[in-house]
Amino acid sequence: MANRIQINKEFVDIMPQDYLDLVETGTFESPNRGWKDFGTATELIAEHSLCAGCPESIAFRHIMASIPNPEDTVMVGSTGCTSLVFPMIAVHNIHSLFGNQNAIATGLKRALAVRFPDRVKDVIVLAGDGATVDIGLDMTLQSWFRKERFTTICFDNELYANTGGQESGLMQKGFLAKMAPVGKRFDKVRLPEIARESGCDYVAIMTASKPSLVEKVIKQAVLIAREVGPTYIQIYTPCILEIGKQSMEGLQEMRTSEAPGERFKFREFISPEAQSFLDGLAEKKKAEKIAATT
């Protein structure tokens, strides 16, 4: 990515090796970047301070590898476990107050359009279920009502993992947690359905167990948000500590929860406008492939 980011020659000898590697061999500006770059190129997130085996770290890595234009992307985070990772990613990011991440993203997206009228700037919100569906629901919905063109990603671990295991609106009915000893008394809030009814042009619910699927969904969501309207992705990232799992059991927990009939079985909604846009992209890609072989 030497065309976009260069190290001042006076500082080269004091820069950490991982930063030098990122500049020299990172996946910025690569049109075909994806999760398969892990192990062959410097990742956009080299380390993190989450718990060992945390599914959020898996989801974070897959998302970072799937963003179609990382050099022109700004991510907006919120208080929670994810806020421990944002300082360690090689993408511009903003830490918002708990719950107002979609309001911050709204102003940011509009300001970037004014500041960089000739360059595509993607904005992505990434927050937990507490920030998205509980404390920040008003601002989440209002951004969708206004058809703000950015992607909202919710890391759904079905409770407040960062503060001891309190009940959230996305917790399963009847689930017992350390700070919710009587059990959840109502069903899991159907936020994907609410997103669809609130104006989102693309909605997906999934886990982070299949990196190729995460890559496809993230790229679709970001590109649709660019040209059509708001998009929402809900990814199950269970807190293995709060649900009593071992550090190596997070992946299996996600796989179990995405089985047929389970609450995180993959499903997506694509509006007619978004489908037309995706069809156009597919036709363009097909034409480019044919042209390259002739």
Side-chain angles (χ1 to χ4, degrees):
M1 64 180 190
N3 293 332
R4 292 293 299 274
I5 299 178
Q6 298 182 16
I7 301 175
N8 187 308
K9 63 180 182 180
E10 302 296 333
F11 299 141
V12 170
D13 60 339
I14 62 171
M15 296 301 293
Q17 186 60 48
D18 57 351
Y19 191 90
L20 295 173
D21 291 342
L22 179 64
V23 172
E24 294 171 2
T25 64
T27 59
F28 283 106
E29 297 183 325
S30 172
N32 299 314
R33 62 186 305 275
W35 72 272
K36 291 184 179 180
D37 291 317
F38 288 172
T40 60
T42 298
E43 301 169 32
L44 296 181
I45 168 176
E47 297 179 351
H48 63 81
S49 55
L50 298 176
C51 300
C54 176
E56 283 194 4
S57 67
I58 298 174
F60 235 121
R61 290 182 186 277
H62 293 166
I63 290 170
M64 290 296 102
S66 304
I67 296 172
N69 197 25
E71 60 271 24
D72 282 308
T73 296
V74 183
M75 301 191 73
V76 181
S78 186
T79 303
C81 292
T82 58
S83 61
L84 302 175
V85 182
F86 275 105
M88 302 181 184
I89 65 175
V91 172
H92 290 297
N93 59 88
I94 295 174
H95 176 75
S96 72
L97 295 178
F98 203 176
N100 74 349
Q101 59 278 349
N102 281 57
I104 296 294
T106 295
L108 177 63
K109 179 68 175 181
R110 297 186 182 193
L112 289 172
V114 174
R115 176 65 178 83
F116 301 97
D118 300 321
R119 184 183 298 176
V120 174
K121 290 287 185 177
D122 296 318
V123 173
I124 301 174
V125 167
L126 198 158
D129 44 315
T132 304
V133 75
D134 289 359
I135 297 172
L137 183 60
D138 175 34
M139 286 166 278
T140 300
L141 292 180
Q142 292 298 327
S143 69
W144 295 342
F145 293 163
R146 294 191 305 269
K147 301 288 286 184
E148 303 290 349
R149 292 187 177 183
F150 59 81
T151 298
T152 301
I153 302 174
C154 174
F155 275 3
D156 181 8
N157 48 33
E158 301 189 311
L159 45 69
Y160 285 81
N162 190 243
T163 51
Q166 295 89 347
E167 174 185 311
S168 83
L170 294 185
M171 181 184 280
Q172 301 177 67
K173 183 177 182 179
F175 189 83
L176 299 173
K178 288 186 296 187
M179 300 291 284
V182 299
K184 178 83 172 297
R185 295 183 178 179
F186 59 92
D187 290 327
K188 186 180 179 74
V189 172
R190 299 168 63 213
L191 194 56
E193 287 74 14
I194 293 173
R196 174 178 177 174
E197 294 166 0
S198 299
C200 285
D201 284 285
Y202 180 77
V203 179
I205 185 167
M206 62 194 304
T207 78
S209 73
K210 297 181 176 66
S212 58
L213 181 59
V214 176
E215 179 180 324
K216 177 184 176 182
V217 167
I218 293 296
K219 288 182 177 179
Q220 286 187 163
V222 173
L223 294 175
I224 290 171
R226 245 186 227 175
E227 303 294 338
V228 184
T231 58
Y232 173 65
I233 304 171
Q234 188 166 320
I235 304 180
Y236 182 42
T237 54
C239 177
I240 50 180
L241 295 182
E242 295 296 340
I243 64 175
K245 300 286 184 178
Q246 299 297 315
S247 61
M248 299 302 293
E249 295 180 308
L251 182 58
Q252 185 56 52
E253 167 65 19
M254 290 190 287
R255 288 173 174 169
T256 299
S257 300
E258 67 185 2
E262 293 296 327
R263 63 195 186 284
F264 283 96
K265 180 182 182 299
F266 175 71
R267 60 185 188 275
E268 62 182 354
F269 159 76
I270 308 175
S271 73
E273 296 80 6
Q275 187 61 62
S276 178
F277 171 72
L278 292 178
D279 291 343
L281 289 181
E283 286 297 321
K284 181 180 179 181
K285 187 174 183 180
K286 181 179 179 181
E288 291 174 348
K289 184 177 294 187
I290 293 174
T293 57
T294 58

